[in-house]
Amino acid sequence: MAGKLSTCFLSHQWSCCTVLDCKHLNVRFYSLPSPRFATVSCKIRQRNSSLPPRRPQAKKIIPAQIPQNDNLMTPGNENSDSENEDDFSHQSTSDEVVAIQRFDDKNSSSKLIPSIGADKVGEVTTVNLQDVIGMIRNAEKNIHILNQARINAIEDLETILSEKEVLQREINNLEMRLAETDARIRVAAQDKIHVELLQDHLEKLQSEMSNNGAHDAVVLRSPDRQTRALSEELNSLRNENMSLQNDLNTLKEQLRDVKRTDERVEMLENERTVLELSIKELEYKLTVSQQDGVQLSTLRSECETLWNKVEHLQGLLDKSTSQADQAILVLQQNQELRKKVERLEESLEDANIYKLSSEKLQQYNDLMQQKIKLLDERLERSDAEIHSYVQLYQDSVKEFQETLDNLKEESKKKASGKQVDMPWEFWSRLLLMFDAWFLEKKIHGDEAKLLREMTWKKDGRIHDVYIECKEKNEREIIAAFRRLTSSSSGSGLHVVHIAAEMAPVAKVGGLGDVLSALSKALQKKGHLVEIILPKYDCMQYESIQNLRVLDLAVESYFDGHLFKNKIWIGTVEGLPVYFIEPLHPAKFFWRGKTYGEPDDLKRFSFFSRAALELLHQSGKKPDIIHCHDWQTAFVAPLYWDLYAPKGLNSARICFTCHNFEYQGTASASEIASCGLDIHHLNRPDRMQDNSSHDRLNPVKGAIVFSNIVTTVSPTYAQEVRTSQGGQGLHATLNAHSQKFVGILNGIDTDSWNPATDTYLSFQYNSSDLEGKSENKNALRRHLGLSLSDSRRPLVGCITRLVPQKGVHLIRHAIYRALELGGQFVLLGSSPVPNIHREFEEIAKKFQTHEHIRLILKYDEALSHSIYAASDMFIIPSIFEPCGLTQMIAMRYGAIPVARKTGGLNDSVFDVDDDTIPIQLRNGFTFVTPDEHAFNGAFDRAFKYYKNDSEGWEELMKKVMNIDFSWDTSASQYEELYLQSVSKAKAARRAAAG
């Protein structure tokens, strides 16, 4: 059996193909060339492997030819396909060539991520929905084909394993025969020695008896016969020895065949692993396509809303124009009437003159009197008409004056810096534009600072200038903004987050969710929030708006040299984000993944130094620099030792550790690469690791050098100050306890809202729970679970399958739920191989069961459906710094069954605990991490659900109304920030005085 695996991923406008060729399997992937989409993918190293041929006795299967689809082939592959036509003439007809293409609905140009200038802000890009649906269908078809290919590979592997067992039995038999042969050889050797001794003895006897005559000859004939018999036996033993040697050589050849078979099995297992990775990648692409479809519908609805607003504003403008035209017409009519009156007065004066000058004119005067009477009548009518016109004019003037007053009032508000209600996306884009101008030396530092403050306050003047200059070139736009020379100082804080993760662009764990949600909450409170991230090659670029690179390169020190860094800017969910791309030969963030590289410490220490260098060179003066976990813990000592003396000294440092299990300890020489003075820092009261004096601990350094140290829940903050939970840092945390606090994380209640969740089949809320039961039935149908009993409780679990999460209790809960008459759904995967294999076996066992289903992967859409469908949710963690699962579950009306540890202890309170106020009781808890304690809480939950349906419904409504938003947590961070900044300002004033 022969196999070949090659993988090739190229950048924009290049074909991307993966070819897997083996005896039972041929799958190819081609990307469709389209000017509307740009492929973005993480790099995968090429692999090539070859397998030895099958043994002759193995069953040979001749596949049929694969049908070709010309519509799915790229132009560059036509020749190669025709050349390989003979090779594929016997391929299976069940395998198909399917085109797979990722796309970017934000980009229609030939670049990977386009740069959008100021003259194109607000431009809306549309994507054909049919293309998206077509790609989703192709992705589903590819997943199905790969699943079939995986099944074929597994069947082939099982055949080889059975052959291996047969060979192993043959080897055992041959080894037994070899042992018997060895024993016989040893016996033959002993017989040979005995025969040689007899021959010597016979020779002696012949020499002694040569003189004894015929009697002696008669006596010797008998030994001669015995000697010949012994010689014949010796010859037969030698022949048998030769035969045994031949058998031994044959056994050695068979052993070599067995070794080659083992190598072949190992290679097949590697191929199966590659197939599984390909399937996961396709599933990920399908998820991305679905998310893009959702975003398209959202953009369309927003576009329709904007058009409605524009039409409404146009109607108001038309109405105002019509009123102004009427007022002008009335004024013109009034002027004409005034002219008529003046002419009449002149005529009257002339008549009086003629009357006095001559009696001859008497008759004329009489006539004139009559005319005057007529004129008087006409004047009266004209006066009435003029009065009506004047009244109309006065009404118009009054309305005009009111409109003018309103305009003046709005102008005054704008002149006083009144806020304008625009999306955060708009203000973040302006903020990044001003910073880009400053970094590119197009405006001065004072001007950049002033414009940032006005943007931070949502000043209406900034908005007006931007709208007025929208169609102008960059030079005219800069000149217009420079004319804004007055602004009151803001009362908010300038906060800069430096981190390795951010949802949704670069999310691995809870850190990414926390960073995004906390930043948005602080932004809503009026603070200027900016984020600095590494520019990974595997980010979700479709979640970044207006991504572009700045025309400058920031240099930062590392390993004794200066290295340039590209600076990219863009907005993520309305937040301004800076992305640092190191131009270092090691390509620190061009690895296809976020973590897990051997040089992670070098990668993130380089990033920490480059982030501070960016702040320094941009001239910013933030109030707070907030760094997270060991990856950016280097920021604290770097800031105080290197950058505060350079002038970047306005900020207070806040460090948040989300899990003290990960500390990034390393030898002093590795940490010194970023420029830290290890001789100055390798002390017990600074960065020296508490358990190894020749190593430095970044997390310890951040605790020592930061002004504020936080973790993600109050209970976890107490646990880590003990020797059992502190992971070796309990003494350091206790020494710095005055600045150490635990703040419970929150969740993004906009993203996790069952009333607006677009992933759900039916939306619902605490006042109307009918949609929850509909979602439960929808999930059952989707997963193939039984719908026969609507009151059968559904237990959900969404987690990473690692020891921390209590995998032994999760495994136990699957069987216990079945015993108690419930259904169980698990969504999650494991990076630990033995745990992954164990749950794969369980999933296989229950793959057709009507009440149990295990989905061993990550699926964003499915996770929302499981939260909405579940009646209970289990979180049996061994330790849990905070945990967001229990909060999200309660948001969707699922009652948590959780162990009392860390953040779970701060958010889940047992319904049967009389020491807890009744309004806070929201779940079922247990203390010890064993099956007996878990059963106590789990069984009570089932009993409550089955015996008290009304009470259970009230409990669901209660937990759905609990406020787990970031508002309260962000207020606590805000208070810590303000206290630290106030202390610093007081200290500076005292020093100056």
Side-chain angles (χ1 to χ4, degrees):
M1 174 179 182
K4 182 176 77 174
L5 179 66
S6 64
T7 316
C8 175
F9 287 85
L10 303 178
S11 60
H12 182 55
Q13 290 186 345
W14 286 68
S15 297
C16 175
C17 67
T18 301
V19 181
L20 179 62
D21 182 14
C22 64
K23 184 174 180 180
H24 298 289
L25 176 63
N26 278 278
V27 181
R28 289 189 177 183
F29 304 101
Y30 296 90
S31 64
L32 286 171
S34 174
R36 297 176 63 86
F37 306 123
T39 304
V40 180
S41 65
C42 297
K43 294 173 69 179
I44 301 178
R45 297 189 181 101
Q46 295 186 352
R47 296 184 180 177
N48 293 305
S49 62
S50 63
L51 299 177
R54 284 187 177 275
R55 289 176 56 85
Q57 63 271 23
K59 182 179 179 181
K60 186 173 182 180
I61 300 175
I62 302 178
Q65 182 174 354
I66 295 177
Q68 300 294 327
N69 188 345
D70 295 336
N71 295 330
L72 302 181
M73 298 297 177
T74 59
N77 290 333
E78 293 175 356
N79 295 333
S80 62
D81 289 343
S82 62
E83 292 172 1
N84 295 331
E85 184 175 358
D86 293 337
D87 296 337
F88 295 146
S89 60
H90 298 290
Q91 295 298 325
S92 173
T93 57
S94 63
D95 299 333
E96 296 182 1
V97 178
V98 181
I100 302 171
Q101 179 181 31
R102 293 190 57 192
F103 62 92
D104 186 349
D105 61 341
K106 307 297 182 192
N107 184 1
S108 62
S109 69
S110 63
K111 297 181 181 178
L112 179 62
I113 299 297
S115 297
I116 298 177
D119 58 338
K120 292 186 179 180
V121 175
E123 183 176 351
V124 180
T125 303
T126 62
V127 175
N128 191 337
L129 186 58
Q130 293 300 325
D131 292 342
V132 178
I133 295 173
M135 294 309 305
I136 292 173
R137 289 174 178 171
N138 287 337
E140 292 174 348
K141 189 174 182 181
N142 285 326
I143 291 171
H144 174 72
I145 291 172
L146 280 178
N147 285 335
Q148 293 297 326
R150 180 182 177 189
I151 292 171
N152 293 336
I154 292 173
E155 291 175 352
D156 194 13
L157 181 60
E158 290 176 351
T159 303
I160 291 174
L161 290 175
S162 63
E163 292 178 1
K164 181 181 176 182
E165 292 176 358
V166 173
L167 289 174
Q168 187 64 45
R169 288 195 294 270
E170 292 179 2
I171 290 169
N172 294 336
N173 293 333
L174 290 173
E175 287 177 348
M176 293 175 61
R177 290 179 59 189
L178 181 61
E180 293 174 358
T181 303
D182 289 339
R184 294 175 65 183
I185 289 172
R186 287 194 295 271
V187 172
Q190 292 175 359
D191 290 341
K192 182 180 178 181
I193 294 170
H194 180 64
V195 169
E196 289 175 352
L197 291 174
L198 288 175
Q199 286 177 346
D200 292 339
H201 183 62
L202 285 173
E203 290 176 357
K204 290 179 181 179
L205 288 175
Q206 286 175 354
S207 62
E208 290 176 358
M209 299 176 66
S210 59
N211 300 321
N212 293 334
H215 178 75
D216 294 333
V218 174
V219 175
L220 286 173
R221 278 196 297 269
S222 178
D224 287 339
R225 288 194 300 271
Q226 187 176 6
T227 300
R228 283 194 299 271
L230 290 173
S231 297
E232 289 173 359
E233 185 177 358
L234 179 61
N235 291 331
S236 78
L237 288 174
R238 286 175 179 172
N239 293 332
E240 188 174 358
N241 186 26
M242 292 296 294
S243 175
L244 289 174
Q245 287 179 351
N246 293 332
D247 291 341
L248 183 61
N249 292 331
T250 302
L251 284 172
K252 289 180 179 178
E253 289 297 327
Q254 291 177 348
L255 284 173
R256 292 193 191 97
D257 291 340
V258 170
K259 290 180 180 179
R260 287 196 294 269
T261 301
D262 291 338
E263 292 173 357
R264 182 173 60 188
V265 170
E266 183 178 358
M267 287 182 158
L268 283 173
E269 291 177 347
N270 292 335
E271 287 184 356
R272 186 186 67 178
T273 303
V274 172
L275 278 174
E276 292 174 348
L277 292 175
S278 300
I279 291 171
K280 290 180 181 178
E281 183 180 1
L282 283 173
E283 291 171 343
Y284 169 77
K285 290 179 180 178
L286 177 59
T287 302
V288 170
S289 299
Q290 293 172 345
Q291 293 174 351
D292 290 341
V294 174
Q295 291 178 357
L296 278 175
S297 62
T298 304
L299 285 174
R300 287 184 174 179
S301 63
E302 291 177 355
C303 184
E304 291 175 358
T305 303
L306 289 174
W307 276 114
N308 292 334
K309 290 182 179 178
V310 169
E311 291 174 357
H312 179 66
L313 291 173
Q314 186 65 40
L316 293 176
L317 180 61
D318 294 340
K319 183 178 179 182
S320 300
T321 304
S322 176
Q323 292 177 350
D325 292 339
Q326 290 179 359
I328 293 171
L329 180 62
V330 170
L331 287 172
Q332 291 175 351
Q333 292 175 351
N334 186 40
Q335 290 176 357
E336 291 176 357
L337 288 174
R338 286 183 181 276
K339 290 178 180 180
K340 289 181 180 179
V341 171
E342 290 174 357
R343 286 197 299 270
L344 288 172
E345 290 176 350
E346 291 175 357
S347 298
L348 287 173
E349 290 175 358
D350 292 338
N352 289 331
I353 292 173
Y354 284 119
K355 182 179 178 181
L356 296 173
S357 63
S358 174
E359 294 179 354
K360 293 180 180 181
L361 295 176
Q362 183 66 37
Q363 187 177 359
Y364 178 77
N365 188 27
D366 293 335
L367 294 173
M368 290 299 298
Q369 288 294 330
Q370 293 176 0
K371 292 181 178 179
I372 288 172
K373 289 180 180 179
L374 293 174
L375 288 173
D376 286 337
E377 292 175 358
R378 291 181 181 178
L379 281 173
E380 288 177 358
R381 290 195 298 270
S382 298
D383 287 339
E385 186 176 355
I386 290 171
H387 184 268
S388 64
Y389 280 120
V390 169
Q391 186 66 35
L392 180 62
Y393 170 76
Q394 289 176 347
D395 292 338
S396 300
V397 169
K398 183 178 180 181
E399 184 178 359
F400 178 78
Q401 189 64 41
E402 290 176 353
T403 304
L404 183 63
D405 292 340
N406 291 334
L407 291 174
K408 288 180 178 179
E409 184 65 26
E410 290 179 4
S411 178
K412 288 180 181 179
K413 289 180 179 179
K414 291 179 180 179
S416 62
K418 192 69 174 179
Q419 289 188 355
V420 176
D421 188 14
M422 292 291 289
W424 278 111
E425 178 78 25
F426 173 80
W427 301 110
S428 296
R429 188 164 62 248
L430 286 179
L431 187 69
L432 292 172
M433 182 176 70
F434 297 147
D435 286 342
W437 288 348
F438 171 71
L439 292 170
E440 294 169 349
K441 309 300 182 185
K442 294 176 181 178
I443 59 176
H444 300 299
D446 294 338
E447 293 172 333
K449 181 180 179 182
L450 178 63
L451 292 173
R452 280 198 294 261
E453 289 179 351
M454 296 174 71
T455 305
W456 168 10
K457 295 189 299 180
K458 297 186 177 181
D459 197 313
R461 290 170 293 175
I462 290 283
H463 170 267
D464 294 342
V465 171
Y466 178 77
I467 296 300
E468 291 173 4
C469 302
K470 190 174 178 182
E471 302 299 330
K472 297 180 181 179
N473 58 40
E474 188 179 49
R475 180 177 296 178
E476 293 173 335
I477 295 174
I478 293 174
F481 278 110
R482 277 179 164 167
R483 289 194 288 270
L484 298 176
T485 57
S486 62
S487 175
S488 59
S489 61
S491 58
L493 297 172
H494 183 186
V495 181
V496 175
H497 286 279
I498 303 176
E501 293 183 39
M502 179 185 183
V505 292
K507 175 186 172 182
V508 177
L511 168 58
D513 292 317
V514 170
L515 183 67
S516 300
L518 174 59
S519 298
K520 286 191 284 187
L522 291 171
Q523 190 182 60
K524 289 179 181 178
K525 290 180 177 294
H527 303 293
L528 172 59
V529 182
E530 297 174 311
I531 299 165
I532 303 177
L533 292 176
K535 187 177 182 295
Y536 302 103
D537 59 339
C538 56
M539 291 192 302
Q540 294 187 19
Y541 286 94
E542 63 273 11
S543 300
I544 307 173
Q545 304 296 322
N546 306 310
L547 180 67
R548 70 183 183 93
V549 65
L550 297 183
D551 186 18
L552 81 159
V554 174
E555 290 188 334
S556 61
Y557 173 90
F558 199 75
D559 279 337
H561 302 282
L562 289 176
F563 294 95
K564 292 183 178 181
N565 300 274
K566 278 187 180 181
I567 307 300
W568 297 71
I569 58 175
T571 58
V572 178
E573 296 185 348
L575 295 165
V577 184
Y578 297 81
F579 300 94
I580 296 179
E581 180 183 355
L583 302 181
H584 190 280
K587 296 184 178 180
F588 285 139
F589 301 109
W590 197 261
R591 306 289 184 83
K593 58 182 178 180
T594 305
Y595 304 133
E597 292 293 293
D599 59 346
D600 272 355
L601 188 131
K602 283 184 174 289
R603 296 168 69 215
F604 291 106
S605 61
F606 182 100
F607 165 69
S608 299
R609 177 77 184 258
L612 288 174
E613 191 66 36
L614 172 61
L615 292 176
H616 176 58
Q617 294 189 28
S618 65
K620 294 185 178 184
K621 298 291 183 181
D623 298 301
I624 297 292
I625 296 177
H626 195 150
C627 47
H628 300 261
D629 281 347
W630 75 264
Q631 290 87 357
T632 54
F634 307 96
V635 168
L638 282 170
Y639 176 83
W640 291 114
D641 281 6
L642 299 179
Y643 285 92
K646 293 181 180 180
L648 181 62
N649 56 3
S650 63
R652 303 294 93 183
I653 304 297
C654 178
F655 173 69
T656 297
C657 186
H658 298 258
N659 191 336
F660 281 94
E661 186 177 12
Y662 308 104
Q663 300 176 16
T665 58
S667 63
S669 59
E670 290 186 77
I671 293 180
S673 297
C674 63
L676 289 172
D677 186 352
I678 58 175
H679 301 292
H680 170 66
L681 297 173
N682 193 12
R683 291 169 35 179
D685 60 338
R686 293 184 181 171
M687 287 186 69
Q688 186 182 85
D689 188 62
N690 293 338
S691 59
S692 179
H693 295 169
D694 60 344
R695 298 173 69 82
L696 297 185
N697 189 323
V699 172
K700 180 180 177 180
I703 295 170
V704 172
F705 284 91
S706 296
N707 304 101
I708 306 167
V709 181
T710 71
T711 192
V712 291
S713 70
T715 297
Y716 188 59
Q718 295 299 319
E719 291 174 350
V720 296
R721 291 178 62 180
T722 66
S723 58
Q724 294 82 10
Q727 304 291 335
L729 287 176
H730 56 283
T732 303
L733 290 169
N734 286 320
H736 295 270
S737 60
Q738 74 280 0
K739 62 182 180 183
F740 179 51
V741 63
I743 299 177
L744 187 67
N745 285 338
I747 59 174
D748 187 341
T749 52
D750 294 330
S751 300
W752 298 105
N753 185 359
T756 59
D757 195 334
T758 56
Y759 287 112
L760 302 185
S761 303
F762 304 91
Q763 282 76 35
Y764 64 98
N765 54 44
S766 60
S767 301
D768 182 9
L769 294 174
E770 183 178 353
K772 185 168 179 65
S773 60
E774 296 292 342
N775 282 298
K776 182 177 178 179
N777 290 332
L779 180 68
R780 285 170 164 176
R781 284 191 292 270
H782 176 68
L783 298 179
L785 298 176
S786 173
L787 289 86
S788 58
D789 184 3
S790 61
R791 280 295 298 166
R792 182 184 291 271
L794 178 63
V795 182
C797 181
I798 300 176
T799 184
R800 289 183 302 116
L801 295 172
V802 293
Q804 172 198 339
K805 301 298 182 178
V807 290
H808 66 292
L809 294 178
I810 295 174
R811 181 181 60 247
H812 171 73
I814 296 172
Y815 296 94
R816 188 61 179 170
L818 196 59
E819 292 174 2
L820 295 174
Q823 293 180 322
F824 192 96
V825 176
L826 168 68
L827 176 64
S829 59
S830 178
V832 185
N834 62 321
I835 296 178
H836 185 72
R837 284 194 299 269
E838 178 184 9
F839 277 85
E840 273 190 333
E841 293 175 0
I842 298 175
K844 185 176 181 180
K845 176 180 178 181
F846 289 108
Q847 63 182 354
T848 59
H849 199 280
E850 61 178 348
H851 298 308
I852 306 295
R853 198 69 74 238
L854 278 67
I855 303 97
L856 302 181
K857 62 179 182 179
Y858 176 74
D859 188 326
E860 180 70 19
L862 185 57
S863 69
H864 286 250
S865 299
I866 293 174
Y867 281 121
S870 298
D871 298 299
M872 308 170 199
F873 230 84
I874 62 166
I875 314 101
S877 302
I878 304 303
F879 72 94
E880 191 65 68
C882 175
L884 303 179
T885 303
Q886 75 278 12
M887 301 179 190
I888 299 172
M890 285 187 275
R891 177 80 167 157
Y892 283 74
I895 308 303
V897 179
R899 181 171 176 265
K900 293 177 68 65
T901 181
L904 297 173
N905 187 55
D906 296 320
S907 55
V908 182
F909 306 99
D910 200 291
V911 297
D912 296 324
D913 189 349
D914 295 334
T915 63
I916 301 295
I918 191 170
Q919 65 271 19
L920 298 180
R921 302 178 198 173
N922 56 3
F924 299 86
T925 63
F926 60 99
V927 178
T928 56
D930 55 40
E931 295 177 359
H932 177 74
F934 174 81
N935 286 347
F938 201 45
D939 293 2
R940 285 190 293 114
F942 266 79
K943 183 178 179 181
Y944 196 143
Y945 178 87
K946 291 182 177 180
N947 297 338
D948 191 354
S949 58
E950 293 183 1
W952 188 271
E953 184 173 339
E954 291 300 319
L955 182 60
M956 289 169 57
K957 293 179 179 179
K958 180 198 292 187
V959 300
M960 291 180 70
N961 290 320
I962 297 175
D963 182 12
F964 285 118
S965 69
W966 265 99
D967 186 63
T968 302
S969 302
S971 297
Q972 296 178 12
Y973 275 105
E974 181 183 39
E975 183 178 355
L976 289 175
Y977 292 163
L978 291 171
Q979 288 177 358
S980 183
V981 171
S982 298
K983 289 179 182 178
K985 290 180 179 179
R988 283 196 291 267
R989 286 194 297 269

